[in-house]
Each structure stands twice: as structure tokens, then as C-alpha cells.
Amino acid sequence: MSCTTRYEKDKADKQQNLASKRLKVIPPEVLSNVEIEFLNLDRNKLKNVIGISELKKLKELALSKNELAEFPVEIKNLRSLEKLEINQNKMQNIPEGIFCSLHRLKHLKLNNNRISKLPDDLSNCGGLEYFNISSNWIRVIPPCILTLKKLVELYVGNNKLRKLPAELFENKVLKKFNARSNPLREPPDEVCSGGLKQIRNYFSQLQKSDAEEVKKIKTIFLGESMAGKSTICKSLCMEPEVVPTEERTVGIEINEFPIEDFTFYFWDFAGQHEYYLTHHVFITPQAFVILVINLQSYSSNDENFKSHVQFWISNVLMRVPDSVVLPVGTHIDCCDKEAVEVKKKDIVTRIREILEERKKKLDQKIKFMEENNDPEMFLEQVDNLKQLANCRAKVLDLVAINCKNHDDIKQLRATILECVREEEDFPNAVKILPLSYRAVEKAILEMSHAEDFPAHGMMSLDELFSSLGKKEKLGKVEKEVLKDILRYLHRTGLIVWYEEIDMLANKVFVKPGFLIELFKTIIRHDIEKQLKNIPVAILTEEKAFSRDVKSWIAKFKCKAMLDLKAMRAMVKHLLQPMKSDERTDVIDEMLGGTNEEGKLFNLFVYFQICLPVRNANGLNVKAPEFIPGKKWEPTADSKVNSYLFPIYLLTNTEVTEQWKHDHEQDLCFRFCFLPEIPEGFFQRLIVEVCSLYSSHWVGRTMCLVVYIKRQVLLKEIIENNDYYIEMTSRKPGNENDFRNTWKVILAIYAKIRELLEQWPGLYLCVRTPCRNKNCLRELEWPDIDENTRDSAMTQEETITCDICGSHFASAFLFPYVPFPKEVPQINTTINVTTYGGAVVGSGNVLSVGTQNFEG
């Protein structure tokens, strides 16, 4: 036997990978191999690990995603163990006496179990460097964790923690920490979101001064246009009044108001659906949602309920799945009492039905996944479904009021206060803050309310630091501490500071309402009207004429594109009520110069609201000869001269003209959403995907991208209460095409997953339709994790449909499967576009003629 062969045999003896083998017991031949050092038993059906104590040399043991209800006591005899992963089982308790002999343990994963208490003898694992106890039932960080002085990574998210001990962060070795999705008061979640450095600064500030208990609630008013949101909001803050139609909210408005010992920040959101695209920027967890319903215009039918109520509740629950929503019926003075009661009962009944239906769908999906032939392959998805099913979403009984009646408004205030005092519903309402946090907050509020403070509320960091330094009551606060406090205030919504955006890193919006004003100058329901109303004087400033306005309107109506000049002119016009010098500051800061990108447009792109369109000024005469298959770079002086807003697109004509039609051999994948696709999600995905691939065409519910000759079509489909995004690609004819096709598919899938993080109340699964077009069977993708990427998603080279009996290569159904040995070659013809910016329809295809690739 050669040295190489002997080495391979020794390695095989020491490493055993038995993941996803449907094992109910550990095979005897494994237990008899005392030389094993690495044993992977992930994704099996193990209920115990009897006999494992014989593997004395075991260093790494993976028991994740099995059916362990009890922590295996035999593990205490594995004294050489360095890495133990036993996450995603069903364990509730860990007995004492297990960890006292595991002195070499460095890595421990216990997440996604049902553990409520950790054993004291965990302190014996003094060498532990990585510990994950997230998604359990832990209420208090136990003392044993504080003794782990070599801990580098600690994950305690999604438990029931109210407080984190300051001693935990005295460990300077600790580099990574996550505690999100806990009802934390000390430190508040907004502090923990800033990472270890901010948490340590928080406790440092607590040591220097007393703590203060703060009770603040962000209250969001949602509902259809003209429902009475602004009237209620203003009436709660002062005497009851009616807001005239011409003063209705366009975008979002913010008001601050105290009710007894609570401070409420009222966010009044516009009701037109065009504005909903910007709502995700400002709707945050831990907010109290007041859904305003116009009872005068409401009628008891499905369509009316959907627009007045269901649309808003569904989208809020997808964004914040544990929301508390208070429906408030208005305009009761315009209805008789009997009609009010009938409508009220209808709304309450229908709300209860949609919540029950939502829960039913989740439970059915969980049952289906658990009864699958390979349930261990879907454990991640089942865990996500169960978390959604267990969310504390609550829709309260409807309160009907007359906004002009003082007693009704007084009663509404009392109802709101009673709601937020419910600790179970609002566990984060009370926060413990250092006095320095509150002092800076008060100083900024005083500053913003001063008569001589600019209406736009924009300040550079240095200006803000300088102004705060002059506040005697504030005392001396270090600049780094001030930055942490600003980050906290940004997360609460009191200020806006996008330090992650390079162009805005040095700019603080002390009045968030003004930033929202800027948003609503462009994101609005009456773009065409606003373009027509631009005064001649402003057009002249922009070196534009009346005929340009006609061109802008035509371009907007046809392709949902707005020229840079058009947007600058429109914003200038809508900001005319501002003081001249302040208006100039805003224009210079946020709009940029002529043909120059401004900060406002960077924000639009950052929030996936629009897509910059770059047009080359001509062919690059210095470029070498054109070579098919290689990227043709745009000319160096190509600039952004317009922006595409997918939300305003009306048709898919440009896309269908390029795609032509589906082919029988196309690859097809469906990204299915439960309960539905959120409003504006697909349009935001378009912006993200088109930022990856410079060659693309965009429509209302379609998007076509091209990557190295590979066309991929995205379609938003809603049919029979099924909501999914379908991705279609031409079948690859060789291994290189195969790799490129999957590269695009997985890149887009990653973007979908990334966007989904902003909608925690959504569930996503991926299905591949049977390649026999006459068959309705869909194959569900198993979980995708690091193990999936290292090994194939399925071991089978071919898959047989259990309905139609057809056979297909697995590589065309699932990712991470090797290319099949025999694939018929096919020819594909596609168009090459002209530049590395947005390509919207045939108008941007090379003017010198269409280049065709064959391959």
C-alpha cells in the first residue's frame, strides 16, 4: 500500500459523514471504530445516541436537526470533544454533570431547542470560544456564562431576555455578540443593534451617571386616503379639528405628544398606494399601529374590506409580525348608529377570519413539511414557519369615533394608553437609558424647536457636535459616545443619520419630517400634474423649456423614467415656501448640480425605489475591436441623466418583445411567498437585480436580465391566492452555460433572501415545476446551508416525477448538483445592449445594429 493510499485510509477511518442518511440509530460499525475523530450525524432521525461514549477520541460531533428530546448524557464521556453541534432538536433541559468533563470544548451550538435553563457546570468549559444559545426560552443570562473568559462569539438572540449583565461585556476577548429579537430594556434593542462597541459604551455611561426609565412609543397611523388619519393625529395632540382636503398628508408626517407618563411619536402615513413603497423605510418593530377606517365609505363586501382593511393589516404583519394594531373607525357622524354597528361587526369578523386563515395556512404548511418523506431536509424551513405561527400579532377590537367630538377623542387617548400599558404586548415600551442619552435627546429637541433653526433640519456632524458642545446642561460628552447616542436616536426615529451611505455619512437630519418631505416631492400620486405646474422661472434656472416638460411627461408615462432636470425642477417648485437661503442649502446639498447626482437620489437608490439610467455619449473610439462574448464597457464619460421608477410602470411590453416566448426546454423556478408578496416587493427586487446585471429590460410585473449570453426572466405572478416570483432561463447546452445559468439564478435568489430580511413576517420556499409542461407537480427545494454548498442537494443524478413518471436530470431542478454527462446542445440568440447602465427596452439597444451571439 502506497503512502498516499494509507493516508487516505487513515483519514477515512477518522472522519465519518453520515448526514442525511435517515438513520434512527448509529450504525454498529461506526461505534466500533474507536479511531473516529470527526462524526457528522446531521439531518437524521436519531432520538438517542446510545453507544457513542465508546468513541473516546471524538473531537467533533454534529447532531443537529435530529429528534433528540433529551440531552444525551453519554456525551459527558467524550473527554476529547472540541466541537459539539446539537442545535435544532427538541431538548428542554440539560442535566448537571455533563460539561464538568468536557474541558477541551471550544465550540457549542444549542440554538433552536426549547432550553429554559443552562447547567451550572457549563463553567467548567473554560476554553469555550463559540457559544450559540439563540432561539430558546432563556429569560436570564446565567452566571456560568460570565465565567467563560475565552468566549469570542456569543449568540443569545430570540430568547426572552429583559436585561443583559454589564459583567458580560467586561470580557475584552468577546468579538461577536447578537441579542436581537429579545424584549430587552437594559440595554434597549436599539443600542444592541449597534454591536459590541455601542453596548460597552452604554454600560460605561451607566457607570458614570444614574439610569433613567424612559417610556416612549412610536405610533403609526395607516389607512386609505381621506380616512381621517391626519385629523385623528392632530386631534389627539390638541383640540379636535378637521383637516381640510387640500391639507391631506402627502407622504408621512411626524408629531410628538405626551399622554400621562408616556411620550408618543405619531407618524401619519399617506394613504395612496404609490407612497407605500416608502413606508418600509420608516415602519419599524416595536411600533403601535393605528389603522384608520372611513366607516362612511366602507361597505360590507370583499373588495371594499380588502382596500380599507386587509391590505394594511397584511402588509403590517409581514413587516412586523408581532404588531399590535388598533382599528379606529371614523366619520360616524355621517352614518346612523345602526349602520355603524353593522359595519363595525363586519370589520371585526373579517379581521378575525383573515388572522385565522393566516394561522391555518402556516399550520398546514408545517404539517406538510413534517410529513414529508425527508422532513430532516426541511428543518430550517419548518423552524421559520413555527416562529411565524407563534408570533404575538394582535388586532384589537375596533373603536368607532367622531373626530370632531371631544369626548370621543378623550376616550381614544385612554384606549391608546391602556393598550401600551400591556407589558405582554409592548415589552420594549420601557427602556433604561444613561442620563447622557436623555440629555443629548433633549438638547437636540430643543435645538430643532428653536425659532431660528432651519426648517430643513440638516446639519453636518461637526456642526451638530459643535452646537451640542455649547449646551451647558449637557456637559462634556466624548465624540464617540455622541456618535453612539446618535445611532440610538436614529434607530428610534428621532433623527435620521445614514452613516452607511458614503455621500450622507456626514449629514444628520435633525428633523426627519423634512427628509420625508423630500421623499414625497418625487414619490407621489400626481407626478404628471406636478411636472405641468413647474413655473417658467424654475425651468429657466434648469435651462429647460416648455417643450422639455412635454418630453419629460411623455418619457414618464411611457417608461416610468424621470430626467434629472425634471426632478430637480419639481423639487425646487415644491420647496418654494421655504426661506430662500434654506431652499438654496437643500438644493445644493440634496439635489446636486445640473447633470450631477444628488444625495436625495442616492437615498432613493439605497432604498430600492429607483434605478439610475446611464447613457453613453457615443461609442468609445479608443476601444479595441468588438469581440463577441466579452464585456463591452461603456464610455468613461457616461453619466446618470435619468432614473427609472418601477412602481410607475404600467405594461410589460418592452420585456415581452425581447423575451419573445417560453420554450419547452426552459428551466423554471418559483419563489413562493406565504401569505403573499408585499406591495412593492417585486419593484424593489427589480432595482436590486438590475444593479447586478447591466443588460436588462423592465416591465410592470416582469424583468429580463442578461449575463454572459444567458437570459433570465423574472415574473411576479398572483393567481388563485398563490403568490410567487417565477424565474425562467433558457436550458444551458454545455457545462460553461450551466455554471453561468446557476450563477445568475442563485445570485437573484440571494437578493430575494436579502430583501426578505426586511419582512420578518414572510415565509419563502422555492419550487421547481415538473419539466413535463402538462404535469402540475412541483418539487420543493430542501434547506440550503453551508453543508448543502459543500455537497450536492440531492445524491440522485435523475429525478422521477411521482405524478407523470417522467425522468429529469437533477442538475436542472436543484442547485449544487454537478452538470449531467450528456446534455443536448442548443443554440440561443440574444441581444447585446449598449452600455453598463440601465437598459429599458429596445430604445437603448445598440443604435449601430443588433449584435447576435450563437451559443
Side-chain angles (χ1 to χ4, degrees):
M1 182 183 297
S2 68
C3 293
T4 303
T5 305
R6 188 181 301 112
Y7 170 78
E8 294 295 334
K9 183 179 183 304
D10 290 344
K11 185 179 178 181
D13 287 341
K14 292 180 180 180
Q15 297 184 4
Q16 289 285 328
N17 185 354
L18 298 175
S20 306
K21 299 294 185 184
R22 305 182 188 178
L23 299 176
K24 294 186 177 181
V25 296
I26 304 176
E29 61 272 20
V30 174
L31 296 175
S32 62
N33 183 1
V34 295
E35 299 299 320
I36 290 180
E37 295 181 0
F38 307 92
L39 179 58
N40 184 356
L41 292 166
D42 279 350
R43 294 184 187 271
N44 281 293
K45 302 175 183 292
L46 298 172
K47 295 184 177 181
N48 61 67
V49 291
I50 294 173
I52 203 167
S53 58
E54 299 299 320
L55 306 180
K56 305 294 185 185
K57 294 183 180 181
L58 202 59
K59 292 181 180 179
E60 295 188 13
L61 175 60
L63 288 166
S64 305
K65 302 165 187 171
N66 276 280
E67 299 177 12
L68 299 169
E70 303 283 341
F71 193 97
V73 177
E74 289 192 47
I75 286 177
K76 70 181 181 181
N77 296 316
L78 305 177
R79 297 176 181 271
S80 298
L81 205 59
E82 297 176 3
K83 183 176 181 179
L84 174 61
E85 296 188 346
I86 196 166
N87 51 294
Q88 288 169 277
N89 281 280
K90 302 174 183 178
M91 301 181 302
Q92 297 185 27
N93 299 302
I94 304 176
E96 294 284 349
I98 291 189
F99 292 106
C100 56
S101 58
L102 302 183
H103 301 291
R104 297 184 183 181
L105 197 62
K106 295 180 181 179
H107 179 107
L108 179 59
K109 284 187 77 171
L110 296 171
N111 54 287
N112 294 86
N113 280 287
R114 303 168 187 175
I115 301 167
S116 57
K117 184 182 177 183
L118 294 172
D120 294 336
D121 67 343
L122 183 63
S123 58
N124 289 283
C125 302
L128 200 62
E129 298 174 358
Y130 173 100
F131 186 28
N132 191 335
I133 190 66
S134 56
S135 298
N136 277 284
W137 298 347
I138 305 292
R139 293 184 176 275
V140 178
I141 298 288
C144 62
I145 290 183
L146 304 180
T147 64
L148 304 175
K149 300 301 183 184
K150 293 186 179 181
L151 207 55
V152 178
E153 298 183 46
L154 177 61
Y155 302 93
V156 296
N158 197 27
N159 277 284
K160 302 179 183 297
L161 299 170
R162 290 292 182 91
K163 180 179 179 179
L164 300 176
E167 299 89 338
L168 178 63
F169 305 98
E170 293 172 2
N171 174 15
K172 300 301 181 184
V173 177
L174 191 63
K175 302 298 181 186
K176 293 183 179 180
F177 176 78
N178 188 303
R180 65 174 157 225
S181 300
N182 278 290
L184 283 168
R185 294 183 172 187
E186 183 181 349
D189 185 58
E190 294 89 349
V191 171
C192 292
S193 298
L196 276 169
K197 185 178 179 182
Q198 187 164 349
I199 295 172
R200 286 180 173 131
N201 283 341
Y202 166 89
F203 282 114
S204 175
Q205 290 297 302
L206 279 184
Q207 288 178 345
K208 295 176 182 178
S209 64
D210 293 333
E212 184 176 0
E213 189 176 82
V214 179
K215 298 178 180 179
K216 290 196 300 185
I217 295 289
K218 184 175 182 178
T219 306
I220 295 171
F221 290 82
L222 295 175
E224 284 282 281
S225 177
M226 304 302 295
K229 300 181 295 297
S230 300
T231 298
I232 291 180
C233 192
K234 286 180 168 57
S235 295
L236 285 169
C237 296
M238 55 191 78
E239 288 299 309
E241 62 172 285
V242 176
V243 177
T245 300
E246 63 272 14
E247 294 182 23
R248 67 178 180 172
T249 307
V250 183
I252 306 165
E253 292 181 356
I254 307 172
N255 295 283
E256 177 189 346
F257 184 69
I259 302 180
E260 294 188 12
D261 52 337
F262 279 85
T263 300
F264 290 83
Y265 291 98
F266 291 157
W267 290 60
D268 177 12
F269 284 68
Q272 291 82 6
H273 282 215
E274 290 89 343
Y275 302 132
Y276 187 80
L277 190 66
T278 62
H279 286 188
H280 73 277
V281 179
F282 308 103
I283 294 179
T284 55
Q286 305 170 29
F288 182 29
V289 178
I290 295 180
L291 175 59
V292 183
I293 305 163
N294 184 341
L295 292 181
Q296 182 187 14
S297 62
Y298 179 81
S299 57
S300 302
N301 60 67
D302 292 345
E303 197 60 38
N304 204 277
F305 174 76
K306 187 172 183 178
S307 63
H308 280 69
V309 184
Q310 186 174 352
F311 169 83
W312 302 100
I313 289 180
S314 296
N315 280 284
V316 165
L317 294 185
M318 285 187 285
R319 176 77 178 138
V320 185
D322 55 355
S323 292
V324 178
V325 181
L326 174 64
V328 176
T330 59
H331 297 81
I332 64 170
D333 51 313
C334 302
C335 312
D336 60 58
K337 288 185 178 181
E338 184 179 349
V340 169
E341 290 304 312
V342 170
K343 292 181 179 184
K344 181 178 176 180
K345 182 179 179 181
D346 181 74
I347 291 170
V348 170
T349 301
R350 288 175 182 267
I351 289 175
R352 188 180 302 116
E353 287 173 354
I354 64 170
L355 292 178
E356 289 173 354
E357 180 65 21
R358 181 174 182 271
K359 182 73 164 60
K360 181 181 176 182
K361 283 184 177 180
L362 290 170
D363 290 340
Q364 286 177 340
K365 186 66 178 177
I366 291 170
K367 184 178 180 182
F368 170 78
M369 302 290 271
E370 290 183 331
E371 292 178 353
N372 190 287
N373 289 334
D374 300 301
E376 65 280 356
M377 302 299 292
F378 299 89
L379 286 175
E380 296 274 1
Q381 296 178 55
V382 170
D383 280 347
N384 292 338
L385 284 165
K386 286 182 177 178
Q387 284 187 26
L388 281 180
N390 292 331
C391 279
R392 302 187 308 271
K394 180 183 283 190
V395 181
L396 306 169
D397 286 339
L398 184 142
V399 177
I401 65 166
N402 174 0
C403 297
K404 296 175 285 187
N405 185 292
H406 179 81
D407 290 336
D408 282 5
I409 294 298
K410 185 178 178 181
Q411 182 58 45
L412 180 59
R413 283 198 195 110
T415 301
I416 291 172
L417 193 60
E418 182 184 355
C419 291
V420 300
R421 288 198 189 284
E422 284 291 332
E423 194 170 316
E424 185 179 340
D425 294 336
F426 293 93
N428 303 83
V430 179
K431 308 177 194 299
I432 306 300
L433 292 174
L435 292 180
S436 57
Y437 276 61
R438 291 290 290 147
V440 171
E441 181 179 343
K442 289 176 181 177
I444 289 177
L445 284 171
E446 287 176 8
M447 190 189 309
S448 65
H449 291 153
E451 288 186 8
D452 59 346
F453 194 75
H456 55 66
M458 295 189 305
M459 301 181 78
S460 71
L461 273 178
D462 290 338
E463 288 173 334
L464 181 56
F465 291 156
S466 176
S467 298
L468 291 174
K470 296 173 184 176
K471 300 284 184 181
E472 294 182 7
K473 295 180 181 178
L474 189 57
K476 184 173 177 59
V477 183
E478 295 176 7
K479 187 173 286 189
E480 284 305 311
V481 174
L482 272 176
K483 285 185 176 181
D484 276 344
I485 297 173
L486 292 181
R487 292 179 185 112
Y488 164 77
L489 295 176
H490 168 73
R491 295 186 191 105
T492 63
L494 185 71
I495 67 166
V496 171
W497 177 30
Y498 294 114
E499 61 175 321
E500 66 274 22
I501 306 175
D502 289 339
M503 285 188 72
L504 287 163
N506 191 43
K507 191 63 58 182
V508 179
F509 295 87
V510 176
K511 292 184 174 182
F514 180 75
L515 180 60
I516 296 162
E517 288 287 328
L518 281 177
F519 268 68
K520 71 188 187 186
T521 58
I522 304 296
I523 310 302
R524 53 190 308 123
H525 65 289
D526 57 353
I527 291 284
E528 188 177 344
K529 176 184 175 183
Q530 294 303 326
L531 288 171
K532 289 178 180 177
N533 290 341
I534 298 172
V536 174
I538 291 178
L539 289 176
T540 304
E541 286 179 21
E542 289 296 317
K543 299 179 181 178
F545 302 93
S546 297
R547 64 175 178 271
D548 292 313
V549 174
K550 293 180 181 178
S551 173
W552 295 341
I553 292 172
K555 192 173 183 179
F556 175 73
K557 291 171 71 174
C558 179
K559 294 189 175 182
M561 293 169 69
L562 286 170
D563 280 9
L564 196 59
K565 277 187 179 183
M567 288 191 286
R568 283 175 52 84
M570 197 160 58
V571 173
K572 279 185 178 182
H573 172 48
L574 292 169
L575 294 183
Q576 273 190 316
M578 291 181 66
K579 294 179 182 177
S580 177
D581 57 337
E582 292 181 5
R583 181 167 163 262
T584 302
D585 289 343
V586 173
I587 291 168
D588 291 344
E589 282 282 350
M590 300 303 294
L591 301 184
T594 305
N595 295 324
E596 176 187 348
E597 291 182 77
K599 295 182 176 68
L600 177 61
F601 308 123
N602 284 98
L603 268 177
F604 283 161
V605 175
Y606 178 78
F607 287 118
Q608 301 112 3
I609 292 171
C610 65
L611 187 69
V613 179
R614 298 180 185 273
N615 277 344
N617 293 334
L619 295 179
N620 185 354
V621 295
K622 298 180 181 179
E625 64 178 322
F626 179 72
I627 303 174
K630 291 191 175 182
K631 187 177 181 182
W632 193 348
E633 297 288 353
T635 54
D637 60 346
S638 65
K639 294 179 180 178
V640 172
N641 67 356
S642 56
Y643 289 82
L644 166 67
F645 291 80
I647 189 67
Y648 295 131
L649 284 166
L650 300 176
T651 71
N652 295 310
T653 305
E654 303 277 11
V655 181
T656 53
E657 285 178 357
Q658 293 298 325
W659 178 254
K660 307 300 181 188
H661 54 80
D662 293 343
H663 296 164
E664 188 175 346
Q665 290 299 308
D666 287 343
L667 304 189
C668 182
F669 308 95
R670 291 172 182 166
F671 300 86
C672 306
F673 295 76
L674 188 66
E676 61 188 83
I677 301 175
E679 182 82 7
F681 183 95
F682 186 72
Q683 286 71 33
R684 292 180 62 196
L685 177 64
I686 286 175
V687 174
E688 285 290 294
V689 170
C690 292
S691 67
L692 290 178
Y693 305 104
S694 58
S695 296
H696 51 254
W697 291 262
V698 179
R700 175 67 180 175
T701 58
M702 289 186 180
C703 175
L704 177 65
V705 298
V706 179
Y707 173 73
I708 312 181
K709 303 191 292 182
R710 305 310 303 165
Q711 287 184 310
V712 176
L713 178 70
L714 290 173
K715 289 192 289 187
E716 181 184 34
I717 298 176
I718 301 172
E719 56 183 15
N720 301 324
N721 286 325
D722 280 340
Y723 299 80
Y724 58 92
I725 294 172
E726 186 171 85
M727 191 188 305
T728 309
S729 172
R730 303 307 188 198
K731 183 179 178 181
N734 56 57
E735 189 165 359
N736 190 49
D737 281 352
F738 172 81
R739 283 197 301 269
N740 288 332
T741 299
W742 273 112
K743 188 174 182 179
V744 178
I745 292 167
L746 291 174
I748 296 174
Y749 176 47
K751 284 297 181 184
I752 293 174
R753 294 289 297 266
E754 189 179 311
L755 270 179
L756 273 178
E757 291 178 6
Q758 299 176 34
W759 278 276
L762 270 180
Y763 169 75
L764 172 73
C765 65
V766 189
R767 298 171 183 159
T768 304
C770 177
R771 291 180 57 73
N772 176 352
K773 301 303 180 183
N774 296 318
C775 180
L776 298 178
R777 179 77 162 94
E778 292 180 325
L779 302 169
E780 202 127 358
W781 286 17
D783 298 339
I784 295 181
D785 54 25
E786 60 276 7
N787 294 326
T788 310
R789 295 182 178 93
D790 293 337
S791 59
M793 183 174 276
T794 176
Q795 304 299 321
E796 307 293 335
E797 289 187 6
T798 60
I799 298 289
T800 301
C801 176
D802 55 5
I803 292 182
C804 69
S806 302
H807 305 279
F808 306 105
S810 304
F812 297 133
L813 303 175
F814 301 111
Y816 307 109
V817 179
F819 185 71
K821 295 175 182 177
E822 295 184 9
V823 179
Q825 299 294 313
I826 59 171
N827 290 328
T828 307
T829 301
I830 63 139
N831 293 311
V832 181
T833 53
T834 173
Y835 52 82
V839 175
V840 186
S842 56
N844 288 318
V845 176
L846 275 175
S847 58
V848 295
T850 300
Q851 301 288 333
N852 290 330
F853 291 143
E854 297 293 335

